[in-house]
Amino acid sequence: MPSATGNSTRPAAADPSQIELILGQVDALPTLSPVATQLLELSMDERSGVRDLVRLIESDPSLASRALAMVRRADRCVQTESVERAVVLLGVKTIRSLALSIEIFETFSHRRENESGYFDRGGFWRHALACGCAAQLLAGRKTGGDGPAVGAEEAFLCGLLHDLGKIVLAACFPRTYDRVAEKADTCLLPIAEVEREIFGLDHTIAGHRLAVHWKLPRMVEECVWLHHQAPAAMPSRIEYPEHVRLARTADEIVRHLGIGYSGNHAPVAAPLNRLGEGPKAQEEWDRFTGRLLDLVESRAEWIGLDSLSSREMFEEALARANTQLTRANARLAETNRKLQERVDCFDALRVFKSALPDEPSHEAIARAGAEAARAILPDEPVAVLAISNAREIMIMVSAVSQGDQAFRQELLPLDQAGRLTDVARQFVGWAPAELLGDVVRDRLAALLDRPAGVWRGILCQGRCVGAVVVQSEPSVEAQRSLAVLCDWVSSWLGGVESRVLAHRLNEELAEMNRRLVDSQAELARIRSLAMVGEMAAGAAHEMNNPLAVISGRAQMLMQDAQDEAARRSAELIAEHAHKASAIVTDLMEFAKPAPPQPATWPMADLLSRLRREWLDGTSLTENQLLLTISDEVPDVWADESQMRKLFDELIRNAHEATRESPNPFVKINCWHDVTDEMVMVRVEDNGVGMSSDVLERAADPFFSHRPAGRGRGLGLSRAMRYAEINGGRVRLSSRPGEGTVVLVSLTTARRS
């Protein structure tokens, strides 16, 4: 059932062992006295006579005196001292009700372990007595069922004992039941609901257990057990449904009148329709309440209660109603305050959410947080800090007034943020601004137009991701709203940080994948070169000896030749043997080049010498072989002789590619790449160029796209090998008919 605050009290799952311990305490209560037990047996035994009942009552002086007093009170004209006469006048059922009422009241009135506690025992008995009297007056009326009418004394007994379980729990667990009653009154809850929450069972279960233990009449047992059941939810197979309905109706009437204390704050409708319909219902109700108060006053002495007057009961009901109204008003005021606090908090969260773009950044979240914090604290400037470890920055956004012009933003490198991330984890609440560090505090003072006062860290999974900064410590209500806002900002900052990290990780993975592919291709090329080198070395080793024999024999034939034709044949053999030996030498140099001897030397001097040699040794003119060297090109760290062979091969290839060009040119540019600390040399020609297939295989050894006999296919691959072993790199770019560009990068010499 909803509580007064709008939240439902949901009891925890009951522990069966705890319930059995509680019911064990109920079973340990003393049983009814022998007189009361025998009286119950005789009243329900049709074979027993009046004499048996009289002898039993006469054995209990207290019961006998009260029975005689009842006769005198009921009819002042009768002045009898005969118990038998009293039994005849009152009836067996009245005597049974009297005996049980006295027995139960005295049993629990003697258990005063916590008489000064919260639970109002006197008020409980007044409520129980009023319920019994109301049920007695209702006896004979229809209560909504189709069963026979209930007898007056049976109705009285059912109404009197229907809440027996409350006094049972209060007697067995006085301190705990005080907490139950106090919570029910404070929160305006039905007391049975609080009992189930704390004990795991309610007073209907405890009372039913005692009724069975004491062997009370079945009608009383069912009323104790089922009086809170709505008529529609009543079990169909019970013996006394009308008694249960009557007890429930009597309880609702007494609670409506406010007589005594029930602890049940469930709403009760005005019970006029219980007593009739139409204009006469109010008159019937007034007569009924007057008779009820008189009956309660007359029967209070039955069970040993202090004498009660109608005025006292009205005053008590009025005082109890005023107390409940005061509590309800206080709780309503507290509820309204909390609701207003929640409304303010939701408004701030709405402002925060509406200020965010579809894919927010750290800056956007910080600005939205500052705008929402400004909605919570409209009278003072606020600032929100957002920390991004992935970007290594701190974003600082302040809101000093309303409108778009109110926001100021500044970025701060994370290494200047001080110990903010460490300090934030040490404070659950607000911390002084001195702990932010001088740099952050000074920047905040400029953003807020005043010194920062206090701040609260924004934590995400135990890690500081930002902070909210204000001038003075906010009120308790504002602190709660800002705490919720910080949780929202934390979630969004955590999400955008994860997105940035994921994006950066994707970029790194893509770069690693690219490098892996490149390294795999490079590794395959290196393995291929190694295999070719081993084959070339083996072939060269095997060919050197036969070539030496051929060359030697050819020279001998040249010396011994008698005619010119024989001598010229010997010379031709020797010449081609030398060529074959040169090929073997080239193969050996490609397979196992000499280890480089790096040194520091100027690249400009080498290129200038090579240009002069090619101009002097070929038909190239000054305008056809151009050299451009940028200022301040540093020295390189490489083997100068191998670099000479590299650039000599590149110029040769460029010159041969431009032989058929109408306006041939070869351009050489040299400059310093400051970013990578490399010396770059670009050799460009406007020759025939290369197709994509030729360009792809241009660096392969023994591959040449020239006509047969024009080249061995080792020049460019050997040049690239020289660059690699000296820590450099050669890259090619070419298109058919547009020429070729070769870019060489070499490591600069270290500066001392």
Side-chain angles (χ1 to χ4, degrees), residues 55 72 177 179 183-184 340 482 503 548 571 678 682 731:
R55 283 195 298 271
R72 289 192 292 271
Y177 206 75
R179 289 195 294 114
K183 182 173 182 179
Q340 184 59 46
L482 288 172
H503 181 70
E571 287 180 354
M678 303 289 284
R682 176 190 174 101
R731 285 170 287 181

Side-chain angles (χ1 to χ4, degrees), residues 81-96:
E81 297 298 330
S82 170
V83 174
E84 182 176 1
R85 175 69 171 165
V87 170
V88 171
L89 291 175
L90 294 176
V92 174
K93 293 183 178 180
T94 303
I95 295 297
R96 179 179 62 184

Side-chain angles (χ1 to χ4, degrees), residues 3-305:
S3 66
T5 61
N7 298 325
S8 60
T9 303
R10 180 178 299 175
D15 184 356
S17 60
Q18 176 185 351
I19 293 177
E20 286 304 318
L21 288 174
I22 293 173
L23 294 178
Q25 292 286 331
V26 175
D27 292 338
L29 290 172
T31 59
L32 293 174
S33 66
V35 173
T37 303
Q38 294 179 38
L39 181 60
L40 283 176
E41 293 175 354
L42 288 175
S43 64
M44 292 184 289
D45 188 355
E46 296 180 355
R47 297 173 298 176
S48 61
V50 175
R51 291 301 306 166
D52 298 329
L53 188 61
V54 170
R55 283 195 298 271
L56 182 61
I57 294 174
E58 289 177 343
S59 66
D60 188 336
S62 175
L63 180 58
S65 62
R66 295 200 184 191
L68 294 174
M70 280 187 63
V71 173
R72 289 192 292 271
R73 178 180 290 273
D75 189 350
R76 297 183 182 276
C77 297
V78 178
Q79 298 294 327
T80 181
E81 297 298 330
S82 170
V83 174
E84 182 176 1
R85 175 69 171 165
V87 170
V88 171
L89 291 175
L90 294 176
V92 174
K93 293 183 178 180
T94 303
I95 295 297
R96 179 179 62 184
S97 298
L98 174 63
L100 279 178
S101 302
I102 296 171
E103 182 76 15
I104 293 173
F105 179 77
E106 291 182 349
T107 297
F108 290 104
S109 295
H110 295 160
R111 300 177 65 86
R112 300 177 180 270
E113 295 88 341
N114 196 26
E115 185 65 27
S116 60
Y118 186 89
F119 179 65
D120 185 0
R121 285 167 171 75
F124 165 79
W125 284 115
R126 286 191 290 276
H127 170 78
L129 179 60
C131 288
C133 295
Q136 180 177 343
L137 294 176
L138 290 172
R141 296 174 181 267
K142 288 293 184 180
T143 58
D146 298 329
V150 181
E153 292 304 327
E154 291 178 353
F156 173 80
L157 192 60
C158 291
L160 177 70
L161 301 181
H162 78 285
D163 269 343
L164 179 63
K166 294 179 183 177
I167 199 66
V168 169
L169 291 175
C172 295
F173 309 98
R175 291 188 177 87
T176 305
Y177 206 75
D178 282 341
R179 289 195 294 114
V180 170
E182 185 174 6
K183 182 173 182 179
D185 291 346
T186 303
C187 300
L188 301 179
L189 294 171
I191 197 168
E193 187 174 312
V194 185
E195 291 167 349
R196 288 190 292 270
E197 178 184 351
I198 295 179
F199 289 112
L201 53 82
D202 57 29
H203 62 271
T204 64
I205 303 298
H208 180 259
R209 185 67 169 256
L210 184 64
V212 174
H213 179 58
W214 278 357
K215 298 180 181 180
L216 295 180
R218 181 65 178 174
M219 58 185 178
V220 175
E221 178 186 327
E222 290 183 354
C223 288
V224 171
W225 182 26
L226 301 171
H227 67 274
H228 280 307
Q229 294 287 343
M234 193 81 68
S236 59
R237 303 181 65 85
I238 60 174
E239 298 181 31
Y240 299 96
E242 286 299 321
H243 293 71
V244 176
R245 294 189 185 94
L246 190 64
R248 177 185 175 89
T249 302
D251 177 74
E252 291 177 349
I253 290 175
V254 173
R255 285 198 292 118
H256 177 75
L257 292 174
I259 302 176
Y261 173 76
S262 69
N264 188 357
H265 297 280
V268 179
L272 292 179
N273 58 346
R274 309 279 188 182
L275 305 175
E277 297 179 356
K280 295 185 178 181
Q282 184 63 49
E283 298 179 6
E284 180 67 18
W285 170 254
D286 293 338
R287 286 195 297 270
F288 178 84
T289 53
R291 293 173 59 199
L292 174 61
L293 295 176
D294 292 340
L295 186 58
V296 172
E297 181 180 350
S298 64
R299 287 212 169 184
E301 296 181 4
W302 269 35
I303 57 176
L305 281 175

Side-chain angles (χ1 to χ4, degrees), residues 689-701:
M690 292 180 282
S691 65
S692 59
D693 295 338
V694 174
L695 181 63
E696 186 177 356
R697 300 189 59 192
D700 293 348

Side-chain angles (χ1 to χ4, degrees), residues 368-384:
E371 188 173 352
R374 179 69 178 171
I376 297 174
L377 301 172
D379 298 328
E380 64 174 292
V382 296
V384 172

Side-chain angles (χ1 to χ4, degrees), residues 397-534:
V397 179
S398 67
V400 295
S401 61
Q402 302 295 337
D404 293 338
Q405 302 299 324
F407 298 100
R408 302 174 183 175
Q409 177 177 310
E410 185 172 348
L411 302 182
L412 188 67
L414 202 56
D415 56 1
Q416 298 182 23
R419 296 179 57 251
L420 175 62
T421 56
D422 297 330
V423 174
R425 288 193 292 264
Q426 302 174 11
F427 288 88
V428 177
W430 296 82
E434 287 75 12
L435 299 177
L436 290 171
D438 295 337
V439 176
V440 177
R441 193 170 67 252
D442 293 343
R443 299 289 181 88
L444 284 172
L447 289 175
L448 297 172
D449 291 334
R450 64 195 69 187
V454 294
W455 59 281
R456 186 187 193 280
I458 301 175
L459 302 181
C460 180
Q461 297 180 351
R463 180 172 54 86
C464 179
V465 295
V468 175
V469 184
V470 296
Q471 185 179 11
S472 57
E473 186 167 337
S475 64
V476 176
E477 294 79 6
Q479 287 186 26
R480 284 196 284 262
S481 298
L482 288 172
V484 176
L485 175 62
C486 286
D487 291 340
W488 272 51
V489 175
S490 167
S491 300
W492 282 91
L493 287 177
V496 72
E497 183 78 356
S498 299
R499 189 169 65 249
V500 171
L501 289 173
H503 181 70
R504 184 162 298 180
L505 180 60
N506 288 336
E507 292 179 344
E508 293 177 356
L509 288 175
E511 177 65 17
M512 291 175 63
N513 186 60
R514 184 192 62 79
R515 292 180 181 179
L516 178 61
V517 172
D518 292 346
S519 64
Q520 288 176 343
E522 184 68 14
L523 180 61
R525 190 181 69 83
I526 292 174
R527 287 179 178 176
S528 176
L529 290 176
M531 292 177 62
V532 171
E534 292 177 1

Side-chain angles (χ1 to χ4, degrees), residues 567-582:
R567 189 182 64 78
R568 290 188 59 82
S569 296
E571 287 180 354
L572 185 61
I573 292 173
E575 180 183 354
H576 283 278
H578 289 155
K579 288 183 178 180
S581 179

